[in-house]
Amino acid sequence: MEYTVKKLALISGVSGRTLRYYDQIGLLKPARINSSGYRIYGQKEVDLLQQILFYRELEVNLEDIKKIISDPTFDQTEALKSHYQLLAQKRARLDKLMATVKGTIASIEGGIPMQDKEKFAAFKDKLIEENEKKYGEEIRSKYGDETVDASNAKLRGISEGDFKAMNDLGEEIMVLLKKAYEKGDPASVSAQEIAAKHKQWLMYSWGSYSKEAHAGLAEMYVADERFTAFYDKVADGATEFLRDAILIYLGMEK
Amino acid sequence: MEYTVKKLALISGVSGRTLRYYDQIGLLKPARINSSGYRIYGQKEVDLLQQILFYRELEVNLEDIKKIISDPTFDQTEALKSHYQLLAQKRARLDKLMATVKGTIASIEGGIPMQDKEKFAAFKDKLIEENEKKYGEEIRSKYGDETVDASNAKLRGISEGDFKAMNDLGEEIMVLLKKAYEKGDPASVSAQEIAAKHKQWLMYSWGSYSKEAHAGLAEMYVADERFTAFYDKVADGATEFLRDAILIYLGMEK
DNA sequence: TTAAACCTTTACGCTACGTAAAGGTCAAGG
DNA sequence: CCTTGACCTTTACGTAGCGTAAAGGTTTAA
């Protein structure tokens, strides 16, 4: 059986445009072109298309599908496994999104307008959740459960005004850090101001404060690439600069 | 506090391009433009951006976010609820994809090359699963469990050769249906040929065949929009045409 | 004063097609 | 034989949400 574009489209369920596109990008070439320039597909192409659609269903992008079906030495298992990981991540993310949406709906239906308490609470939950997700495990193992739980508990109990103030302070620190970093001296007045503000900022979420803990956190900032990535958004090396400023501020320079 | 593009980008984590884009589409306009044409944002804009990013996290598209935040009378709850449905669907789909991927990996690691048995089995499972999902519930309630289970069992036990033959036959029916439909007469030879082939096709998956069941199925094709959508791919009205042809074939025209 | 680091607008690129537009081909009916 | 209509072709613009130059003006600190 031979198929023109329309016929193949009919039995496969994809559009004619899709078939021409797949031809164009070299994903599925017709068996031959007839004298009038028509694309003619054979049984082999029908089978190939089925394979392609199988992977497409799995949300593999066309470029990868091309590799998978064209290169038989390509490690399909590995590709599928990493693809599975991707799907799992997507699902985990969806789960969280759904929870947040549900919470938001509930808060609205509770008669409390977005803007206010519940939205704020949703944000807090999200914040805690993200903190927990990003840093929880490692911090727990390195610094003990109490620290983390205490931080979360404090965060949960925080007032809306404080929350906003804390956020603003966090923003301010980022901006100031940029300016101070450009001067290059962690002992400078501006850098020491940042360290002070950073302590203030920490106080919002920390149950108890100690110089040692502050210094330890500063060291962790540098050691943990996720913190580094965050503060280095300001500039490369800003994380180390912040650590140095804090250590000097605490009188704990090495 | 006032922010230029770069500063707002820094504290919010989005790119400068994103902010300019949001300005461009009217999602987030700066508080003012200074004498040099620079965008200047204030605290209000920072708050708005936070809201925007909140919804963006939920995978709401920017157009909808615009509606949500710009029109306070807009029914946010409804929007969020339908959005929740969307997310739920996505997740259900992901679950199935993951199962299929896992199965495919297992089949490959079992040493059986794709192309062959296991891929074929995966396809069959998928087919059964899809049938079950699409029509299972309704068919079960309307026509009883045995019919469905028998169909699935038969499908599971089908041989590879038969499976291919069945698929080919299904394709052929679609193509023939198109041609016959264009002639417009369900009593025509070509239409009756289709009815015969349709019976043949059914026999592949049905445990037992009866005219009544065949006629009932034909009626269901028309009654159920999912079947209608499938056969109407050929042409509008093709489903009814198919039913009429089958009824005539069975000698059961009303 | 000069370089670096910002800022601006314009515009093309990305995915996987949908959707015309402009024109050639083919089978069926009159 | 001719027409009609359904098919076929290529070209090309549009979609969402930006990334990424390019080309040029502004501000800031040394």
Side-chain angles (χ1 to χ4, degrees), chain B residues 15 17-18 22 36 38 56 61 178:
Chain B
S15 73
R17 175 67 171 99
T18 297
Y22 287 176
S36 310
Y38 288 21
R56 195 183 68 165
N61 65 57
K178 188 170 170 49

Side-chain angles (χ1 to χ4, degrees), chain A residues 15 17-18 21-22 36 38 56 61-62 178:
Chain A
S15 73
R17 175 67 171 100
T18 297
Y21 180 63
Y22 288 175
S36 311
Y38 289 21
R56 195 182 68 165
N61 66 58
L62 300 186
K178 187 169 171 49

Side-chain angles (χ1 to χ4, degrees), chain B residues 46-61:
Chain B
V46 175
D47 294 344
L48 244 174
L49 180 56
Q50 285 213 15
Q51 271 215 69
I52 292 171
L53 296 181
F54 172 73
Y55 285 109
R56 195 183 68 165
E57 272 272 319
L58 303 184
E59 298 187 351
V60 180
N61 65 57

Side-chain angles (χ1 to χ4, degrees), chain B residues 23 30-40:
Chain B
D23 181 7
R32 61 188 179 83
I33 306 286
N34 76 7
S35 57
S36 310
Y38 288 21
R39 290 171 181 82
I40 308 294

Side-chain angles (χ1 to χ4, degrees), chain A residues 12-226:
Chain A
S12 68
V14 307
S15 73
R17 175 67 171 100
T18 297
L19 291 176
R20 294 194 187 92
Y21 180 63
Y22 288 175
D23 181 6
Q24 183 188 324
I25 65 172
L27 181 58
L28 181 69
K29 295 275 181 196
R32 58 188 182 82
I33 305 286
N34 77 5
S35 57
S36 311
Y38 289 21
R39 292 172 180 81
I40 307 294
Y41 299 89
Q43 190 55 47
K44 216 179 86 187
E45 284 71 32
V46 175
D47 293 346
L48 242 174
L49 180 56
Q50 283 213 17
Q51 270 214 70
I52 291 171
L53 296 181
F54 172 74
Y55 285 109
R56 195 182 68 165
E57 272 271 319
L58 303 184
E59 298 187 350
V60 181
N61 66 58
L62 300 186
E63 200 50 48
D64 288 343
I65 294 180
K66 203 161 146 186
K67 284 179 202 154
I68 292 175
I69 62 172
S70 66
D71 178 7
T73 69
F74 181 82
D75 193 340
Q76 295 191 24
T77 313
E78 262 324 298
L80 282 174
K81 277 184 182 170
S82 72
H83 190 66
Y84 185 83
Q85 291 307 315
L86 246 169
L87 293 177
Q89 278 176 31
K90 270 196 185 185
R91 193 179 59 168
R93 187 149 175 285
L94 268 181
D95 282 340
K96 257 175 287 158
L97 290 188
M98 288 171 70
T100 309
V101 173
K102 223 173 181 175
T104 308
I105 291 174
S107 82
I108 293 179
E109 293 200 326
I112 308 143
M114 277 309 264
Q115 303 288 23
D116 299 351
K117 274 198 281 188
E118 293 293 341
K119 173 191 155 198
F120 166 68
F123 265 113
K124 272 200 301 186
D125 283 350
K126 201 158 149 283
L127 189 67
I128 290 171
E129 188 188 292
E130 279 183 1
N131 273 337
E132 189 64 39
K133 189 190 98 203
K134 279 191 199 156
Y135 316 116
E137 259 181 70
E138 284 198 28
I139 298 182
R140 273 180 197 282
S141 67
K142 280 188 192 160
Y143 300 89
D145 286 355
E146 323 83 63
T147 315
V148 180
D149 290 341
S151 169
N152 283 352
K154 185 94 187 282
L155 203 49
R156 247 182 261 278
I158 206 170
S159 82
E160 186 168 359
D162 281 349
F163 182 74
K164 185 155 167 26
M166 176 183 163
N167 261 359
D168 290 349
L169 189 54
E171 288 172 21
E172 202 190 339
I173 287 173
M174 291 301 273
V175 174
L176 291 176
L177 180 58
K178 187 169 171 49
K179 290 215 160 195
Y181 174 77
E182 279 158 18
K183 293 191 182 158
D185 182 10
S188 70
V189 177
S190 50
Q192 289 306 296
E193 225 175 292
I194 291 175
K197 279 180 191 297
H198 187 256
K199 173 183 172 183
Q200 214 186 316
W201 182 71
L202 273 181
M203 301 286 275
Y204 278 113
S205 61
W206 278 19
S208 63
Y209 175 84
S210 74
K211 287 191 174 188
E212 288 69 30
H214 195 176
L217 184 70
E219 288 292 355
M220 198 176 69
Y221 279 3
V222 174
D224 192 313
E225 56 178 1
R226 290 158 301 188

Side-chain angles (χ1 to χ4, degrees), chain B residues 2-3 9-10 19 27 38 51 64 94 119 141 149 173 189 206 212 231 234 236 244:
Chain B
E2 296 201 318
Y3 307 88
L10 256 175
L19 292 175
L27 180 58
Y38 288 21
Q51 271 215 69
D64 288 344
L94 268 181
K119 176 190 154 196
S141 66
D149 289 340
I173 288 174
V189 177
W206 278 18
E212 288 69 31
Y231 286 106
V234 163
D236 274 341
D244 294 339

